[in-house]
Amino acid sequence: MNAQQLKALNKDILINEITDPSFLRYGKVIPFSIFEIYANYLHQHTRVPETLNQYIADDPKIHEVFPKHPLIMDIFEDIPLEYGYVNGNNSTLNALEFHPSAEINIAATPLVLMLGHTDDINDLSYDVKNLEAFYLPANTAIVIFPT
């Protein structure tokens, strides 16, 4: 599904393109070419379930096939990294997460990310009206800032 189709089906949600300047508050687009081996592994060795999601926090086989790249070292330095993935078809916002460090997201297929700022967390709660939606086309890589 492309961005226009998603926007038409979700008229009550403003879905921005990842190139929209508003995304720069949350992260930045990085070269996908660095992650082609990663995406190829996902296409060849994983499947998208018909319903729900499959979440693998860390797949040791990806560590074997994905070479360390200087950009990744620039972002994370010596922090131990997890190379995982989420496969699925989801239409429900049922959880939010935040990370104390940056996170790289690789869109092997199109996806929409709902992003917000940790500044908006009050008493361990987050009001979803503060979320912003961003469409990532297939073959897009981004780094999300820890805020």
Side-chain angles (χ1 to χ4, degrees):
M1 189 172 294
N2 65 35
Q4 286 67 38
Q5 292 168 313
L6 280 170
K7 290 175 183 182
L9 291 170
N10 296 280
K11 292 182 188 329
D12 56 332
I13 300 173
L14 173 62
I15 302 174
N16 293 307
E17 305 286 334
I18 199 67
T19 54
D20 190 278
S22 63
F23 177 70
L24 296 174
R25 179 175 185 223
Y26 303 103
K28 66 179 181 175
V29 177
I30 55 178
F32 179 80
S33 59
I34 296 166
F35 304 100
E36 286 186 70
I37 292 170
Y38 199 115
N40 288 339
Y41 174 86
L42 295 176
H43 286 302
Q44 294 170 10
H45 299 283
T46 70
R47 66 173 196 77
V48 176
E50 292 291 323
T51 60
L52 304 175
N53 293 311
Q54 176 188 33
Y55 171 65
I56 304 297
D58 192 33
D59 183 339
K61 292 184 181 186
I62 296 174
H63 289 269
E64 296 171 15
V65 300
F66 184 63
K68 291 197 182 201
H69 189 277
L71 176 65
I72 294 171
M73 298 307 293
D74 286 346
I75 294 170
F76 297 105
E77 296 180 0
D78 293 328
I79 296 173
L81 301 178
E82 293 180 338
Y83 295 100
Y85 58 90
V86 178
N87 285 348
N89 295 289
N90 196 356
S91 62
T92 304
L93 175 63
N94 57 7
L96 294 173
E97 65 177 21
F98 70 93
H99 298 268
S101 70
E103 177 178 281
I104 293 177
N105 284 226
I106 302 147
T109 60
L111 63 92
V112 174
L113 286 178
M114 305 291 281
L115 300 175
H117 250 265
T118 56
D119 293 348
D120 295 326
I121 298 172
N122 294 309
D123 296 323
L124 299 177
S125 294
Y126 190 90
D127 190 336
V128 295
K129 74 176 186 213
N130 295 320
L131 291 174
E132 292 187 68
F134 294 92
Y135 175 80
L136 283 72
N139 303 326
T140 301
I142 59 172
V143 60
I144 302 285
F145 305 141
T147 54

